[in-house]
Amino acid sequence: MGVFALTLRFFHAEVRKLLLIIGLAVSFITLFQCFSFSYGKIFVPSPTSKSSIFKLVSNATTLNDSNMAELFINAVANDTNGSDPEEEARYKHNTLEANTGSDSSSEVNRYLDGSFSKFKDQNSHELKSKPRITQVKSLMSGYIASTDDGSTKVMVEIAKNSEKMINGPKPTTDYGGVVPFISAIVAAKGLQNSNLSSGTSSPFLGANLSSARNAEISIGTQHTNFKPLQIESAISVSQMNSLLLQSIDSSRSPRPRRSSARDRELLSARQEIENARVSRKVPLLHASVYQNISKFERSYEMMEQILKVYVYKEGVKPIFHQPKMRGIYASEGWFMKLMEGNKNFVVKDPRRAHLFYLPFSSNMLRTALNGQDFQHVKDLQKYLKDYVELIAGKYSFWNRTGGADHFLVACHDWASKLTKNIRSIRALCNSNAAKGFKIGKDTTLPVTYIRSMEAPLENLGGKSPSERNILAFFAGGMHGYLRPILLQYWQNKESDMKIFGPMPRDVEGKRKYREHMKSSKYCICAKGYEVHTPRVVESIYYECVPVIISDNYVPPFFEVLNWEAFAILVQEKDIPSLRNILLSIPEEKYLEMHARVKLVQRHFLWHKRPLKYDLFHMILHSVWYNRVFHIKTR
């Protein structure tokens, strides 16, 4: 018995020693990690997660040749359900402001407005509205941009102590005297319910984003040894061309239940287009600005000869049949107005139609239901679904092709999201090839900022090349993550680079904006919250060579126009090299591009009475072209 008691006491003593050793080890490891966070990888518990979820933020990386590092990591989704009343109010204010359609330099002011800010179903994890952007202007806070697919991009400005890190232009110090920094874009996919507003804790940094000091400590700014970075590549123009050809070859549209005379006419038209003879010289067309001028010319001729369109009469105003003709979403309104009033293409008998038009306005859908029971994205999707079911139940045409011969024209940022379940041809302003825009089936709708219905082409044209003494010009609001980077690198850096924030909205401010475009060789068309921007069309209006900086943006009429002949497409990662890229273009090539901008200008003009090759006809032709090359029969 004594031996047993002695053994038991010895065992208890050993257990206590073991527990003491484990406790000391844990304490040591904890202290070690606390002092080493600035020099290694950071494991941060999500402050908003209901469970103990950890996120990994990798080390910063060395700048590449363009002096910009983009850091892409995947993060675990958190479970925030709350919303910020102040943000909701701000979105509603911007909605009203956007619908008035003002300001030539801040045309994307409305960003995805605010009527989706509250939801019926607080537990829904799909397409839940959240602040599009939270801008925290401090040393390290940067910009947090929420994207449509539920991902979040965080552009963090990291102050660096070493001047050796920067070889290019020095960034400006707009945010509290920022010293040379690395611009890192952290893409955290899957954060569908994040509420990353100013003054809240970030699951990425584990600190209040409004605190510059905390963020600097969390990330660590004393590193000099960085690992190489693999950056997600954007879809190039050549890749887009390949996708277009693949789309035509595969002809993915559903086979109709029964072949019709209209289908046979489209097949005949396709053969005519594919076998088009080498084009004779046409006064209004120039081969250099087209992918294939012979095919385009023949396709356009066939469209004029045989195309018939039926416009559904169903639908309640103002969502249907009553679009807005002014503002940033005016493209969908002008097309609807001209389409419904057209006598050459529109037929009253749907049996004669090759195409069927769904005459709804994404802008009016977005605003007309504001304040009603339609507060969730799914509510608006269901609204459109109910309309399609009404059409399908009343007519046989939708069911015959599964919607493949139907089309819609929509310019609101949310249109791609609201119509994603509609299997028709979609003409969208928000043509993001990485977010559901199907090259070859869908087509890009140009963003035309119309300020006057009576004079949509007012102030058209610009100075001659010899009178354009500004190398590059940009002015606009700080929407999204890209524009702040543009200004950080180029605002007030070179006398020939006129890169500004938003200009005044008064008459004088608008005049200066126009004059800068008319006096510049190149006009910077930097994306805002989404890939599209009215500056592309504005540049063409004012005969300024567009410089498009918007990864994965499919330019308008990509099916037929050769954009590389009259525009410069710069990847976002190359912003630090922007001036060198423009200066490397020979004067002779610039003059050719300027002349081609004037040649394509006719394709981007609205006329109250449509003219040959104008914007109305080009939009309709893109829809026609995509349908012709996706027709299938048994």
Side-chain angles (χ1 to χ4, degrees):
M1 191 69 176
V3 174
F4 176 76
L6 182 63
T7 303
L8 188 62
R9 284 197 298 272
F10 176 78
F11 175 75
H12 286 166
E14 290 300 318
V15 170
R16 285 195 294 271
K17 288 180 182 180
L18 180 60
L19 291 176
L20 178 61
I21 293 172
I22 293 174
L24 290 174
V26 170
S27 301
F28 177 80
I29 292 172
T30 302
L31 290 173
F32 178 79
Q33 287 187 339
C34 289
F35 286 104
S36 64
F37 272 175
S38 297
Y39 302 91
K41 294 182 178 179
I42 309 167
F43 289 87
V44 185
S46 172
T48 56
S49 179
K50 294 178 181 178
S51 60
S52 180
I53 300 175
F54 288 86
K55 300 181 169 53
L56 172 65
V57 180
S58 300
N59 291 337
T61 62
T62 54
L63 292 174
N64 56 18
D65 293 338
S66 62
N67 296 327
M68 183 185 297
E70 294 179 292
L71 180 61
F72 290 91
I73 64 171
N74 290 324
V76 182
N78 58 17
D79 294 323
T80 54
N81 287 322
S83 59
D84 188 346
E86 293 183 4
E87 291 291 337
E88 295 167 4
R90 179 163 64 87
Y91 292 153
K92 291 181 180 180
H93 169 73
N94 285 343
T95 301
L96 297 175
E97 182 179 298
N99 290 328
T100 61
S102 62
D103 182 23
S104 57
S105 64
S106 303
E107 68 286 334
V108 200
N109 276 346
R110 73 278 175 270
Y111 54 94
L112 294 180
D113 313 319
S115 68
F116 288 179
S117 56
K118 290 184 178 180
F119 303 97
K120 295 178 181 178
D121 183 6
Q122 291 295 329
N123 295 322
S124 173
H125 291 280
E126 181 180 1
L127 295 174
K128 185 170 182 178
S129 176
K130 52 186 172 289
R132 295 281 293 184
I133 192 80
T134 301
Q135 297 183 354
V136 188
K137 297 184 178 180
S138 65
L139 176 65
M140 258 275 320
S141 58
Y143 299 84
I144 302 174
S146 298
T147 56
D148 285 341
D149 62 352
S151 66
T152 300
K153 287 184 178 180
V154 183
M155 193 282 284
V156 187
E157 298 171 3
I158 306 177
K160 305 305 296 179
N161 294 327
S162 174
E163 286 289 337
K164 296 179 181 180
M165 299 293 294
I166 301 297
N167 297 319
K170 300 294 187 297
T172 57
T173 57
D174 293 342
Y175 307 130
V178 180
V179 296
F181 67 96
I182 301 172
S183 292
I185 299 175
V186 181
K189 299 179 180 178
L191 292 177
Q192 296 183 347
N193 295 323
S194 61
N195 183 24
L196 301 176
S197 58
S198 177
T200 62
S201 295
S202 166
F204 297 100
L205 305 180
N208 188 310
L209 288 178
S210 64
S211 171
R213 180 59 182 165
N214 289 347
E216 182 178 349
I217 292 173
S218 298
I219 290 292
T221 59
Q222 300 179 16
H223 256 323
T224 55
N225 297 322
F226 298 104
K227 297 179 180 179
L229 176 68
Q230 292 184 350
I231 300 175
E232 286 186 6
S233 59
I235 301 175
S236 66
V237 174
S238 60
Q239 289 173 323
M240 290 181 185
N241 280 317
S242 297
L243 290 172
L244 177 61
L245 293 175
Q246 291 173 16
S247 175
I248 293 174
D249 292 340
S250 62
S251 296
R252 296 169 184 164
S253 66
R255 293 181 182 274
R257 292 184 177 180
R258 60 187 181 279
S259 180
S260 69
R262 307 290 86 79
D263 295 332
R264 291 190 290 272
E265 289 173 353
L266 292 179
L267 279 174
S268 177
R270 175 172 178 166
Q271 293 176 353
E272 288 277 348
I273 296 168
E274 290 177 333
N275 299 322
R277 296 180 179 179
V278 177
S279 176
R280 61 188 183 280
K281 290 187 177 180
V282 180
L284 297 179
L285 304 179
H286 193 280
S288 63
V289 299
Y290 301 97
Q291 302 274 12
N292 186 318
I293 189 173
S294 301
K295 291 180 66 174
F296 170 65
E297 182 188 1
R298 187 59 180 143
S299 176
Y300 192 94
E301 289 175 353
M302 296 297 294
M303 179 187 75
E304 288 187 316
Q305 290 173 15
I306 72 171
L307 176 61
K308 299 302 177 186
V309 178
Y310 181 75
V311 181
Y312 286 110
K313 302 299 187 293
E314 288 73 15
V316 181
K317 294 181 180 180
I319 296 173
F320 299 86
H321 310 291
Q322 188 177 314
K324 290 181 69 68
M325 303 284 284
R326 292 179 63 250
I328 194 168
Y329 305 124
S331 290
E332 65 179 25
W334 275 78
F335 180 85
M336 185 187 299
K337 188 75 172 179
L338 296 174
M339 186 77 260
E340 291 189 319
N342 190 277
K343 295 181 180 180
N344 297 326
F345 297 110
V346 176
V347 292
K348 294 182 179 180
D349 184 356
R351 292 172 297 181
R352 296 178 56 202
H354 304 89
L355 289 169
F356 298 81
Y357 176 42
L358 306 174
F360 93 98
S361 165
S362 61
N363 184 28
M364 296 308 296
L365 173 66
R366 170 64 187 79
T367 57
L369 300 180
N370 187 21
Q372 300 184 26
D373 292 333
F374 298 87
Q375 297 178 344
H376 195 289
V377 175
K378 288 185 177 180
D379 294 330
L380 300 189
Q381 289 175 333
K382 186 178 185 303
Y383 187 92
L384 290 180
K385 180 183 177 182
D386 291 343
Y387 178 75
V388 170
E389 289 178 351
L390 170 68
I391 296 299
K394 188 173 181 179
Y395 303 90
S396 62
F397 308 104
W398 177 278
N399 293 329
R400 190 181 72 85
T401 64
D405 54 358
H406 289 56
F407 72 98
L408 58 88
V409 177
C411 197
H412 196 283
D413 290 12
W414 282 358
S416 60
K417 196 160 45 179
L418 297 177
T419 61
K420 69 176 184 177
N421 296 323
I422 299 178
R423 296 185 62 184
S424 66
I425 300 169
R426 303 181 302 168
L428 302 173
C429 289
N430 190 5
S431 54
N432 189 335
K435 288 189 180 179
F437 183 88
K438 296 178 175 60
I439 297 176
K441 182 184 83 69
D442 299 329
T443 185
T444 302
L445 180 65
V447 187
T448 56
Y449 198 143
I450 302 299
R451 296 168 180 82
S452 171
M453 288 177 56
E454 293 71 27
L457 304 182
E458 189 177 14
N459 300 308
L460 187 68
K463 296 181 180 180
S464 64
S466 60
E467 297 177 293
R468 293 177 179 262
N469 53 11
I470 300 173
L471 177 64
F473 165 68
F474 172 85
M478 294 297 97
H479 305 145
Y481 64 87
L482 187 69
R483 295 181 185 179
I485 297 176
L486 177 66
L487 264 67
Q488 287 285 357
Y489 274 94
W490 293 112
Q491 187 177 33
N492 300 323
K493 293 299 188 301
E494 301 288 345
S495 60
D496 57 356
M497 297 281 286
K498 304 298 182 183
I499 308 298
F500 308 111
M503 285 186 167
R505 299 186 179 188
D506 56 17
V507 175
E508 181 61 19
K510 294 177 182 179
R511 186 193 66 79
K512 287 184 177 180
Y513 181 84
R514 289 193 302 270
E515 286 304 309
H516 273 83
M517 275 203 155
K518 290 172 178 282
S519 304
S520 300
K521 297 175 67 175
Y522 301 99
C523 289
I524 309 302
C525 308
K527 65 178 286 186
Y529 294 115
E530 299 294 346
V531 292
H532 58 290
T533 167
R535 287 171 180 79
V536 176
V537 175
E538 285 180 338
S539 300
I540 296 172
Y541 276 8
Y542 303 132
E543 298 168 3
C544 179
V545 176
V547 180
I548 302 174
I549 310 178
S550 180
D551 289 355
N552 304 319
Y553 176 59
V554 182
F557 316 132
F558 184 76
E559 304 85 2
V560 296
L561 291 183
N562 177 18
W563 276 85
E564 291 178 303
F566 58 89
I568 307 296
L569 287 82
V570 177
Q571 290 194 4
E572 295 172 11
K573 66 181 179 63
D574 293 328
I575 283 180
S577 305
L578 181 59
R579 187 168 183 268
N580 290 338
I581 291 172
L582 299 180
L583 290 175
S584 67
I585 300 172
E587 183 67 14
E588 182 179 356
K589 182 177 180 181
Y590 161 71
L591 293 175
E592 289 177 353
M593 297 182 77
H594 177 267
R596 290 167 182 164
V597 167
K598 297 178 70 173
L599 289 172
V600 299
Q601 189 183 69
R602 71 179 72 255
H603 296 322
F604 295 88
L605 304 181
W606 289 114
H607 297 281
K608 291 184 178 179
R609 294 184 178 180
L611 302 177
K612 193 178 183 71
Y613 300 122
D614 71 353
L615 185 49
F616 167 75
H617 283 98
M618 289 297 290
I619 296 170
L620 186 60
H621 175 266
S622 287
V623 175
W624 148 269
Y625 189 89
N626 285 0
R627 174 56 182 158
V628 165
F629 280 93
H630 284 77
I631 182 70
K632 278 187 176 182
T633 59
R634 293 187 182 276

